[in-house]
Amino acid sequence: MSAPVLLVIAHGSRDPRHAATVHALVRLVRALRPDVRVETGFLDFNVPSVPGVLESLATEGVRDVVALPLLLTRAFHAKADIPAVLADAPPRLRIRQAEVLGPSPLLLSALERRLYEAGLTPADKSSTGVVLASAGSSDPEAIAVIAEIAREWRRSGWCAVRPAFASASLPRTEDAVRELRALGCARVAVAPYVLAPGRLPDRIARGAAGADVLADVLGPSPEVARVLLERYDAARTPVLTAVGA
């Protein structure tokens, strides 16, 4: 029996860097697991669309699909948008929605590696305050998860870690940078907890103007690819059932 098709569902963006980053991540996933067919669909702005990919898979005769939201938190898109799109899929498809990527220790490892790539060293941890800068959400569950990630990351040895948000929630990145300065951290670094470039990551970057270090987005990092495959494997383990069944 062949493995279920992995359908990576990305949000989409008018910024071409977003789709390019998503496709680079998917290429990495394919390289790690050549036995798994991996497809990409976008909710908005980019093609192919999720409904279009699902229709094509059904036409080919595919039966089993694991739909994986390319999201770091379980907010509106994971709870409402994606289930609604999957519910309208061709009935011959058996689809299981995987969990979102975060939280995961691998993602913390990716954040830390991006900071080191930006110029920090492990010896800098105890004197460096970090802003964990996410896109933001109006969903309280998602906000609570980001706050918990910041608390957990602080326990790994950083001077301090503060969450910040580019939209919908407070504080903003620049506010968190000022707070860490006031705490007396010798240096301040901003770690974008986002997957791909775009409008909100650009806003995070502008808010990081007063920081000493700005890391890159998570992007097509090996840690993200491994988390993605972990979520796929966890979703395919139970007997696949139709969405909405």
Side-chain angles (χ1 to χ4, degrees), residues 29-93:
V29 171
R30 288 183 180 129
L32 289 173
R33 288 286 290 276
D35 59 313
V36 175
R37 178 177 174 181
V38 187
E39 299 292 342
T40 308
F42 295 91
L43 291 174
D44 207 352
F45 302 116
N46 302 105
V47 291
S49 69
V50 176
V53 175
L54 292 172
E55 194 67 47
S56 294
L57 291 173
T59 300
E60 287 181 37
V62 170
R63 293 298 306 276
D64 295 324
V65 177
V66 170
L68 193 148
L70 197 61
L71 301 168
L72 294 173
T73 57
R74 190 172 176 273
F76 181 79
H77 293 303
K79 294 177 179 178
D81 281 358
I82 292 174
V85 172
L86 298 181
D88 288 335
R92 67 168 289 122
L93 292 176

Side-chain angles (χ1 to χ4, degrees), residues 37-160:
R37 178 177 174 181
V38 187
E39 299 292 342
T40 308
F42 295 91
L43 291 174
D44 207 352
F45 302 116
N46 302 105
V47 291
S49 69
V50 176
V53 175
L54 292 172
E55 194 67 47
S56 294
L57 291 173
T59 300
E60 287 181 37
V62 170
R63 293 298 306 276
D64 295 324
V65 177
V66 170
L68 193 148
L70 197 61
L71 301 168
L72 294 173
T73 57
R74 190 172 176 273
F76 181 79
H77 293 303
K79 294 177 179 178
D81 281 358
I82 292 174
V85 172
L86 298 181
D88 288 335
R92 67 168 289 122
L93 292 176
R94 295 191 296 251
I95 304 174
R96 187 171 184 87
Q97 182 175 329
E99 292 295 328
V100 298
L101 301 183
S104 167
L106 283 169
L107 295 178
L108 283 180
S109 296
L111 286 166
E112 207 149 294
R113 187 164 58 79
R114 290 299 191 217
L115 285 171
Y116 296 152
E117 289 170 352
L120 293 179
T121 70
D124 296 324
K125 289 185 75 168
S126 62
S127 59
T128 301
V130 179
V131 178
L132 179 68
S134 77
S137 173
S138 58
D139 188 307
E141 178 187 348
I143 298 305
V145 167
I146 297 299
E148 178 55 35
I149 292 171
R151 286 190 291 269
E152 180 182 347
W153 204 14
R154 163 67 182 84
R155 290 192 285 269
S156 72
W158 295 100
C159 174

Side-chain angles (χ1 to χ4, degrees), residues 105-242:
L106 283 169
L107 295 178
L108 283 180
S109 296
L111 286 166
E112 207 149 294
R113 187 164 58 79
R114 290 299 191 217
L115 285 171
Y116 296 152
E117 289 170 352
L120 293 179
T121 70
D124 296 324
K125 289 185 75 168
S126 62
S127 59
T128 301
V130 179
V131 178
L132 179 68
S134 77
S137 173
S138 58
D139 188 307
E141 178 187 348
I143 298 305
V145 167
I146 297 299
E148 178 55 35
I149 292 171
R151 286 190 291 269
E152 180 182 347
W153 204 14
R154 163 67 182 84
R155 290 192 285 269
S156 72
W158 295 100
C159 174
V161 181
R162 293 291 186 271
F165 308 94
S167 69
S169 311
L170 295 173
R172 296 286 182 255
T173 302
E174 52 268 34
D175 301 324
V177 169
R178 284 193 291 267
E179 181 184 352
L180 291 171
R181 291 280 187 216
L183 281 175
C185 297
R187 66 185 66 76
V188 175
V190 173
Y193 189 59
V194 292
L195 288 167
R199 179 175 57 88
L200 294 180
D202 285 349
R203 187 178 296 174
I204 289 171
R206 290 193 296 271
D212 302 294
V213 172
L214 170 62
D216 199 358
V217 299
L218 293 172
S221 65
E223 296 91 346
V224 174
R226 287 170 58 196
V227 175
L228 199 152
L229 287 168
E230 284 182 359
R231 299 292 184 257
Y232 167 76
D233 287 333
R236 63 177 287 200
T237 300
V239 176
L240 295 175
T241 56

